[in-house]
Amino acid sequence: MSGRTVDTAVPGRVGDLPTEAVNFLRQCADELHWSDSEHTERRAQVLAEIDRSGTYVHRSDELAFGARLAWRHHTRCIGQLYWRTLQVRDRRHVHTVDGVVDQLNQHLAEAFDGGRIRPVITVFAPQGAPCPTPTLLSPQLVRYAGYRMPDGTRRGDPANQALTTQMIALGWAPRWGDFDRLPVLLRSADGDLVWREVDERNCPDVPIAHPTHGRLVDTDLRWYAFPTVADMRLEIGGISYPTAPFSGWYVATEIGARNFGDTDRYDLLPKVAARLGIDTSNDRTLWKDRAQIELTAAVLASYESAGIRVLDHHTMTDQFHRYVEARRRAGASVHAEWAWIVPPIGASATPVYRQTYDPTVVRPNFFR
């Protein structure tokens, strides 16, 4: 549901294909309420197809269900409650760079939905397909450039400095600002690196200002409306989909506390504290905590003013906790990593803080 929800270092090996396929079809049968005969017939079809060709093709309903299961299974996503609402766009027939970029723009427009922000995934051709799809190399479809200036200072988002350098080498013209949008980087089916711009109107920037303090820093602070993770591999039933961008909405702490506050990102806490008149000479003043909170409050107010969906960490953790409890009462398991579920501020005030979760990675899932 966010920029950090699917950033996992867990290896994504495709196991024994017939076994993976049979396990997935069993999940389909159980949760989609297939009849015994339907399950038996489909299982026989898939195994025969694998025996004949070495692979198999998912039906559209299987692809959609598999993508939703991958979201539900992902251990670093606090938005699992919404897994059934994921809109799955089957674009396995699109194989050109321009065709993919056109679909990326459509994807962003559908996810933005006038600010309501809908969870959307677009799935392109699987690995090993006769006509392969270009691969997305950008970590998200929207990212801000990061620069190392001649005097050694940084501008923009340091997380994207290497990507920015690569873009410049490929011919992109830098603008040397703090919030310059990078193009999307792709590897074509022929192995060439290419970049393309996406339409900013489909994921607009949100100007950030505090509801009572106004501007918190000496730059036009902003962030894009929603994250779209682009460099993850979707695996369903042993079939790997290397190009499957996924959009959701933000939790405000991801922007205010992490993207703006982390020392290896925009590192704005000292500037915000100075703007608010907080003593930064001693950590006992809790200036870092106070600056994080005010930045996050500014994000919440700014997104609300812009009419763009964003959740606060208390609402999100409460929803996740109720989802986990309901799943457990039903005898079902929830897989999650505690460190990725507990928010970066106000942790002990949330219902997830004292909980434990099973971090086991199960498939379908997303992998780096």
Side-chain angles (χ1 to χ4, degrees), residues 22-189:
V22 167
N23 289 341
F24 173 61
L25 293 175
R26 179 73 266 173
Q27 290 176 293
C28 290
D30 290 343
E31 299 201 38
L32 298 179
H33 308 294
W34 290 356
S35 66
D36 288 343
S37 60
E38 182 180 4
H39 176 223
T40 300
E41 181 180 359
R42 180 57 179 154
R43 183 178 183 275
Q45 289 174 349
V46 167
L47 290 176
E49 190 175 352
I50 293 173
D51 185 59
R52 182 176 64 254
S53 67
T55 188
Y56 71 104
V57 177
H58 287 126
R59 300 186 320 203
S60 292
D61 61 327
E62 294 166 353
L63 182 73
F65 179 62
R68 292 174 183 133
L69 275 186
W71 185 10
R72 191 180 82 186
H73 290 162
H74 200 74
T75 60
R76 295 183 175 183
C77 183
I78 196 172
Q80 296 178 25
L81 167 65
Y82 300 95
W83 71 276
R84 295 183 187 275
T85 69
L86 178 63
Q87 178 182 339
V88 181
R89 306 175 71 245
D90 183 354
R91 297 298 185 268
R92 288 176 287 179
H93 60 282
V94 178
H95 304 291
T96 66
V97 168
D98 289 340
V100 167
V101 173
D102 180 62
Q103 289 300 322
L104 296 181
N105 276 307
Q106 292 184 38
H107 171 116
L108 290 171
E110 291 182 29
F112 181 55
D113 193 28
R116 288 178 286 271
I117 314 299
R118 296 186 294 178
V120 175
I121 186 171
T122 299
V123 184
F124 293 96
Q127 185 175 335
C131 295
T133 296
T135 304
L136 290 167
L137 301 180
S138 298
Q140 293 190 30
L141 294 188
V142 180
R143 295 296 267 178
Y144 297 123
Y147 308 105
R148 175 69 69 177
M149 306 302 286
D151 61 0
T153 60
R154 302 181 309 188
R155 294 210 70 176
D157 191 342
N160 302 317
Q161 185 174 321
L163 179 63
T164 303
T165 300
Q166 188 175 23
M167 290 287 196
I168 294 172
L170 291 171
W172 178 70
R175 296 186 293 278
W176 311 107
D178 284 318
F179 297 97
D180 300 341
R181 287 197 178 211
L182 287 170
V184 175
L185 181 63
L186 307 97
R187 179 180 288 115
S188 72

Side-chain angles (χ1 to χ4, degrees), residues 303-334:
Y303 274 64
E304 182 177 6
S305 177
I308 295 175
R309 185 179 192 180
V310 68
L311 289 185
D312 66 272
H313 53 290
H314 294 289
T315 297
M316 199 73 207
T317 54
D318 182 64
Q319 290 179 352
F320 181 77
H321 181 66
R322 289 187 283 112
Y323 163 74
V324 170
E325 292 300 297
R327 294 276 297 172
R328 287 173 174 169
R329 286 194 300 270
S333 60
V334 174

Side-chain angles (χ1 to χ4, degrees), residues 237-316:
I239 303 297
S240 179
Y241 297 92
T243 307
F246 181 108
S247 295
W249 52 85
Y250 269 118
V251 181
T253 50
E254 296 177 277
I255 305 171
R258 300 301 309 278
N259 297 341
F260 289 159
D262 284 0
T263 56
D264 60 350
R265 299 295 299 281
Y266 278 84
D267 193 21
L268 295 181
L269 300 187
K271 293 182 179 180
V272 171
R275 169 71 175 80
L276 298 177
I278 303 172
D279 179 10
T280 61
S281 64
N282 192 312
D283 284 345
R284 291 174 63 85
T285 66
L286 305 183
W287 64 270
K288 297 176 186 177
D289 311 69
R290 295 161 70 183
Q292 278 187 327
I293 290 170
E294 297 303 340
L295 269 170
T296 302
V299 169
L300 285 166
S302 300
Y303 274 64
E304 182 177 6
S305 177
I308 295 175
R309 185 179 192 180
V310 68
L311 289 185
D312 66 272
H313 53 290
H314 294 289
T315 297
M316 199 73 207

